[in-house]
Amino acid sequence: MEIDGTQQQSAAPLLVEEATQEFVAICAESEPYDDEQPSYVPAELVKPWCSNDASALYHCYLIQMKPNFCYDIPVNDIVLGMRSELDCDIANMTFDLEVGRGSITVNFKKATEIHLSSEQVLQCRRFQITIFRILLDHELPNLGKVLERLCLAQNLGIESIDYLLLPAARMHQRPSIIDWECVTSVSFQCEENSEYHVDCSPPKNCSRVLHTKNGMVCTCRIQNSLVYTPHTGLLYCITGLLDDLNGNSLLRPRGRRARSYKTHYEEKHGIKLRFDQQLLLKGKHIFKVQNYLKSCRLHAERDSCHTSVELPPELCSIVMSPLSVSNLYSFSFVPSIMHRLESLLLAVNLKRMVLDRCTENVTIPTIKVLEAITTKHCKENLHLESLEALGDSFLKYAASQQLFKTYQNDDEGDLTVKREKIISNDALCKFGCNRKLPGFIRNECFDPKSWIIPGDYSGGSFLNEELPFNERNIYIRGRRKVKSKRVADVVEALIGAFLSTGGEIAAIYFMNWVGIKVDLVHIPYERHFHVQPEKLIDVRHLESLLNNYSFRHPHLLLEALTHRSYMLPQIPGCYERLEFLGDAVLDYVITVYLYNKYPGMSPGVLTDMRSASVNNNCYALSAVKRRLHEHILAPDNVHSNIANTVNNFERLSMESTFGWESETSFSEVLADIIESLAGAIFVDSEYDKNAVFQSIRPLLEPLVSPETMPLNPVKEFHDYCQKMQYIMKKPVKSIQNGVATRTIEVEANGVVKYTYTSTASNNDTAKRLACKEFLRLSKGN
């Protein structure tokens, strides 16, 4: 993303002012926010059941999974059948799942289109409901009731989550993309599987058929099956027969006497094995379904699903056959995959809602929209924090320049009040709610237990809701709590998403769509000076400090250095209006620089780097290092205060101008001057942000980087307390005789663990000192 400094000339400033006044008045209106907000489900996933005599068209996509680690169980492809065609940037998406052994790369690939009869669809739904209920519940008793509801719903035309997730056929099974033999495994009948099959090869010393709870079954049908053992209530994947073990073989449990399997089952379960000469089955426990989208890799599990068990065939009831362990393993990842797809479809719907009536050439990748609506509470490898920081800086800049050019006679205080009515969290939340954004927000960590199995009507019903500005509908799954701050964050993040991919035109388009009426039209800034700036300030020297920027209107430089208490008749204004503008411009250009300079940084790092670079202490230090304080036009009492700051700075002997190392406070005038100079250059250069950055950057060098960025002690204090599960009591603060006092108190298990009081010239410094001392003592212990 480049900073575009071009703006257009306007011939109608009065119309702009009237429109801005009306907009600010609208922003000031306030209504109570209801934090109970809907949770949307994409319409692409919700369809009515097809009638008994109808066939349905399904768009098939191959979900290919490639493990980036070694494991004895392979991963198979899955077929996704959709009633609606996927957007092109979703149909070819790639992402990683984080599992205990490493990562699995998931690729979507458009395969084919197929027509399925209602009977085939019912068969597919039976399969997926069975396999997912088993994987999620690890039990069998409730499965029958779920399948009964499935048959009942077939005749009612109920709208539900409707897509198919089926095992992919291997190459030798083609031309069908679906492994229909596996799909029909849920309809296992022992009568059809008791005969010897030509292609089966029973192990040595094993009969062709085995006695099971279902009756006589061919060995080839039980070697790749899912079985249920009623005496334990557990489910197992059968991977083969143990050619050297039967019911009379010795079981050697650790720390116990050896005994035969036959004796073990009789003593422990009261079961007498009738067919003790049958070979035992080799089984594995069912895989545990987890959230594999979490950014931190799951620890390799040490549970029973990684160990084999020996099972007498006569105690096993076959639930599904044929079903390989690799298919069951592959399906354990599907809930996480489909949650990502559902999230992307939400992002697609939001993108369409925003762009449906767009006449500009605005494009934005779906993944960027998803990033903007995903909070860090989801604990995934993408979330909105970086885009929020970028969008916040642009929002502040766009609103500030709009107000600056519109209200040319307002002072900094009035402009700040008007800006707050536009960019405050309350205002942004209202804008977001008016456009139904809360329903799109992803604000919770994915829980596979809450995932709705497609075709399972126990997931509940869905309400239909019409989206604004287009004819598309979306569905509501239910309601959840979403804080107003979260809605405001998402509005800022969406501004950042449009800005980072489509530039300022795209960001302005989105802001206007959401209700924030701003533009980048240039209106001349009028000021009438009756004095030559060179008589009061050293223009040439100051320009040399500003990377040799040459002012077309040196009066702006004079205004940028004039304190409000020094105003003379021939100087019509002080630096405060330019400071108001320059603060926003400087924040924006530095944020853009950091965002572009370090594109691979994790979410949240941009926020920390921006915070470490864009603050009053940093600017004040920069002003002192370049001795800009010597050029400020101010009365003696102001210079006296500045002199104290300079003396403190010289004792610090700090090399960098960013960060939080300073244990003293600085005169705000020093920081204001950096911002007012930025504002002066911005106006003088006809709103060229690049000119601002190139001129002010030398004052701020060296700029922060991920390697040099110090942690904010206040943020580090909060993170540490959260990690240690400490309770932070409400801080006690006061100001007396110009001295700020701050007391922080931390509790652990109902006992006060730490109390510290610090003093400084202002509250922010006192708070920072208290947090630094707490961290020093904690790390020291």
Side-chain angles (χ1 to χ4, degrees):
M1 180 189 61
E2 297 295 329
I3 302 176
D4 182 8
T6 61
Q7 301 198 30
Q8 298 174 344
Q9 187 78 19
S10 173
L14 290 178
L15 292 178
V16 173
E17 182 169 358
E18 289 173 5
T20 306
Q21 287 173 344
E22 182 181 355
F23 169 60
V24 172
I26 292 172
C27 295
E29 297 175 6
S30 178
E31 294 180 5
Y33 170 73
D34 181 7
D35 63 1
E36 289 288 335
Q37 294 292 336
S39 177
Y40 289 159
V41 177
E44 293 89 340
L45 301 182
V46 181
K47 301 290 180 183
W49 187 284
C50 56
S51 62
N52 289 333
D53 57 349
S55 67
L57 173 66
Y58 281 87
H59 303 270
C60 292
Y61 300 86
L62 210 56
I63 302 176
Q64 300 171 317
M65 289 179 274
K66 179 186 175 184
N68 301 310
F69 54 84
C70 294
Y71 189 41
D72 58 349
I73 301 176
V75 182
N76 295 341
D77 294 344
I78 306 290
V79 175
L80 167 65
M82 296 282 297
R83 298 274 294 277
S84 302
E85 194 168 3
L86 294 176
D87 232 39
C88 59
D89 55 348
I90 295 181
N92 300 298
M93 67 177 171
T94 299
F95 59 91
D96 285 346
L97 301 177
E98 296 296 338
V99 301
R101 299 170 192 84
S103 64
I104 292 179
T105 300
V106 179
N107 290 296
F108 272 60
K109 181 182 177 183
K110 180 69 185 288
T112 186
E113 295 177 357
I114 58 174
H115 284 87
L116 298 178
S117 68
S118 60
E119 184 59 35
Q120 287 176 310
V121 172
L122 179 61
Q123 198 171 45
C124 292
R125 287 188 171 190
R126 280 180 174 276
F127 169 82
Q128 63 191 24
I129 289 173
T130 301
I131 198 167
F132 285 123
R133 273 278 152 239
I134 286 169
L135 283 168
L136 291 167
D137 300 340
H138 280 215
E139 59 183 33
L140 205 58
N142 295 327
L143 181 59
K145 294 179 181 178
V146 174
L147 293 176
E148 284 176 15
R149 282 195 297 268
L150 175 65
C151 296
L152 182 64
Q154 182 180 10
N155 301 318
L156 299 179
I158 298 173
E159 288 187 327
S160 70
I161 297 291
D162 177 35
Y163 52 86
L164 303 178
L165 292 162
L166 306 169
R170 297 181 181 275
M171 291 303 298
H172 68 274
Q173 295 173 307
R174 304 288 169 89
S176 174
I177 190 174
I178 298 169
D179 182 354
W180 284 106
E181 186 181 23
C182 184
V183 171
T184 58
S185 65
V186 73
S187 305
F188 176 81
Q189 300 290 331
C190 67
E191 292 83 3
E192 300 172 7
N193 293 279
S194 59
E195 299 180 0
Y196 172 65
H197 298 91
V198 176
D199 59 345
C200 79
S201 301
K204 193 182 297 183
N205 302 323
C206 178
S207 64
R208 293 176 177 176
V209 292
L210 295 172
H211 293 272
T212 70
K213 281 280 185 183
N214 308 75
M216 301 287 285
V217 177
C218 183
T219 55
C220 69
R221 291 303 187 190
I222 200 168
Q223 289 191 71
N224 283 292
S225 65
L226 182 74
V227 303
Y228 175 69
T229 54
H231 67 283
T232 62
L234 297 177
L235 291 150
Y236 299 92
C237 310
I238 302 302
T239 59
L241 283 83
L242 298 164
D243 56 9
D244 57 349
L245 292 178
N246 61 29
N248 295 311
S249 302
L250 288 181
L251 172 66
R252 301 179 184 276
R254 188 178 299 174
R256 299 180 185 177
R257 67 180 176 85
R259 53 183 174 171
S260 69
Y261 284 92
K262 184 176 182 178
T263 303
H264 165 77
Y265 279 99
E266 186 170 1
E267 290 180 354
K268 184 172 182 179
H269 300 287
I271 298 173
K272 291 185 178 181
L273 296 183
R274 296 169 53 209
F275 308 99
D276 53 9
Q277 296 300 318
Q278 290 189 135
L279 294 183
L280 300 182
L281 305 176
K282 182 180 180 181
K284 278 183 175 287
H285 287 273
I286 303 300
F287 299 96
K288 183 179 180 182
V289 178
Q290 300 184 71
N291 176 7
Y292 296 108
L293 294 168
K294 283 188 175 180
S295 55
C296 53
R297 182 169 295 169
L298 298 167
H299 294 295
E301 295 177 19
R302 296 181 179 178
D303 59 19
S304 55
C305 73
H306 302 297
T307 58
S308 296
V309 295
E310 304 84 36
L311 300 169
E314 64 186 276
L315 301 184
C316 297
S317 175
I318 298 177
V319 179
M320 299 178 74
S321 176
L323 178 68
S324 67
V325 66
S326 58
N327 266 336
L328 199 64
Y329 179 56
S330 303
F331 272 89
S332 69
F333 300 113
V334 169
S336 294
I337 295 171
M338 294 310 299
H339 181 70
R340 173 57 60 88
L341 175 62
E342 180 180 330
S343 302
L344 282 163
L345 287 172
L346 277 178
V348 166
N349 278 269
L350 175 55
K351 183 171 74 169
R352 287 172 179 166
M353 185 174 77
V354 175
L355 297 178
D356 258 5
R357 299 185 180 181
C358 179
T359 57
E360 305 282 349
N361 184 23
V362 175
T363 58
I364 178 172
T366 300
I367 192 68
K368 274 296 176 186
V369 179
L370 176 61
E371 184 180 342
I373 61 176
T374 302
T375 71
K376 62 182 178 183
H377 295 287
C378 295
K379 299 180 181 178
E380 297 182 14
N381 60 358
L382 79 172
H383 64 74
L384 57 75
E385 198 163 332
S386 291
L387 290 176
E388 178 199 345
L390 183 64
D392 174 64
S393 68
F394 182 75
L395 170 65
K396 180 181 174 182
Y397 155 72
S400 298
Q401 62 87 33
Q402 181 79 19
L403 295 169
F404 180 85
K405 70 189 180 187
T406 304
Y407 301 100
Q408 298 202 12
N409 294 319
D410 281 17
D411 60 26
E412 182 267 344
D414 292 335
L415 293 175
T416 300
V417 170
K418 287 183 172 71
R419 182 173 67 188
E420 187 62 20
K421 290 177 181 178
I422 299 172
I423 70 172
S424 69
N425 286 334
D426 287 343
L428 295 178
C429 177
K430 179 182 176 183
F431 291 132
C433 290
N434 288 344
R435 295 298 184 264
K436 298 188 177 182
L437 294 184
F440 292 98
I441 297 174
R442 301 175 65 246
N443 197 37
E444 296 171 343
C445 188
F446 172 56
D447 178 8
K449 291 285 186 182
S450 65
W451 179 64
I452 299 177
I453 299 171
D456 185 350
Y457 291 92
S458 59
S461 58
F462 299 87
L463 296 175
N464 197 319
E465 176 161 303
E466 187 174 325
L467 292 175
F469 308 112
N470 61 21
E471 298 177 356
R472 293 185 178 89
N473 290 353
I474 204 157
Y475 289 84
I476 299 176
R477 190 195 329 245
R479 303 186 78 83
R480 73 275 165 77
K481 287 189 179 295
V482 180
K483 294 180 179 179
S484 60
K485 173 67 164 60
R486 295 280 175 268
V487 182
D489 292 345
V490 167
V491 172
E492 291 176 334
L494 285 167
I495 294 171
F498 277 83
L499 178 69
S500 64
T501 55
E504 293 183 357
I505 292 176
I508 289 293
Y509 169 80
F510 173 78
M511 289 171 66
N512 280 278
W513 176 86
V514 85
I516 305 172
K517 304 301 180 183
V518 294
D519 59 53
L520 298 179
V521 177
H522 169 46
I523 295 177
Y525 180 61
E526 297 181 1
R527 275 290 188 271
H528 302 287
F529 288 75
H530 302 289
V531 65
Q532 291 296 321
E534 290 81 359
K535 294 183 177 180
L536 296 173
I537 56 174
D538 189 342
V539 174
R540 295 293 168 260
H541 177 65
L542 288 165
E543 288 178 339
S544 69
L545 295 178
L546 298 171
N547 203 19
N548 294 315
Y549 177 81
S550 179
F551 275 89
R552 301 169 186 147
H553 307 286
H555 298 92
L556 286 167
L557 182 58
L558 176 61
E559 183 177 345
L561 293 167
T562 302
H563 191 269
R564 66 181 305 173
S565 59
Y566 190 80
M567 288 176 60
L568 301 174
Q570 58 268 43
I571 304 178
C574 66
Y575 64 65
E576 290 181 353
R577 278 181 53 87
L578 292 174
E579 173 219 334
F580 167 84
L581 180 62
D583 166 41
V585 175
L586 205 50
D587 183 358
Y588 174 49
V589 296
I590 291 175
T591 304
V592 169
Y593 165 79
L594 296 173
Y595 185 86
N596 290 333
K597 178 75 172 175
Y598 306 104
M601 58 186 166
S602 60
V605 175
L606 176 65
T607 303
D608 293 338
M609 294 174 67
R610 176 193 180 199
S611 181
S613 303
V614 182
N615 62 68
N616 282 345
N617 275 11
C618 299
Y619 293 163
L621 286 168
S622 299
V624 173
K625 286 181 72 173
R626 274 39 176 209
R627 309 199 70 78
L628 286 172
H629 57 282
E630 296 176 354
H631 301 273
I632 299 173
L633 301 180
D636 292 342
N637 62 324
V638 174
H639 276 289
S640 176
N641 187 20
I642 292 173
N644 292 331
T645 294
V646 174
N647 291 334
N648 289 333
F649 171 76
E650 289 174 348
R651 285 198 299 270
L652 289 173
S653 65
M654 293 173 61
E655 294 183 3
S656 66
T657 57
F658 55 82
W660 318 98
E661 295 304 312
S662 169
E663 297 190 358
T664 185
S665 57
F666 298 88
S667 169
E668 291 185 3
V669 175
L670 294 170
D672 294 345
I673 290 302
I674 295 291
E675 293 169 340
S676 65
L677 287 171
I681 295 169
F682 185 59
V683 175
D684 185 75
S685 62
E686 296 184 350
Y687 297 79
D688 184 349
K689 295 177 293 298
N690 279 315
V692 175
F693 185 62
Q694 296 303 322
S695 301
I696 299 295
R697 178 175 178 171
L699 303 179
L700 305 177
E701 294 283 7
L703 295 178
V704 70
S705 69
E707 295 75 27
T708 61
M709 181 187 66
L711 290 174
N712 183 340
V714 177
K715 184 177 185 298
E716 189 179 1
F717 164 73
H718 282 86
D719 290 346
Y720 183 83
C721 289
Q722 187 175 13
K723 175 184 175 183
M724 303 301 294
Q725 297 184 337
Y726 292 161
I727 297 175
M728 296 172 286
K729 307 298 286 186
K730 187 176 181 180
V732 178
K733 52 187 178 181
S734 63
I735 297 180
Q736 292 183 349
N737 301 322
V739 177
T741 302
R742 185 92 172 196
T743 300
I744 59 174
E745 188 174 290
V746 173
E747 256 185 27
N749 300 320
V751 178
V752 176
K753 187 172 181 67
Y754 174 83
T755 302
Y756 184 77
T757 300
S758 63
T759 59
S761 59
N762 60 54
N763 264 319
D764 288 342
T765 304
K767 180 181 180 180
R768 189 168 66 249
L769 292 176
C771 292
K772 285 181 72 172
E773 182 62 18
F774 167 84
L775 293 168
R776 186 186 68 79
L777 292 173
S778 299
K779 292 176 180 178
N781 293 337

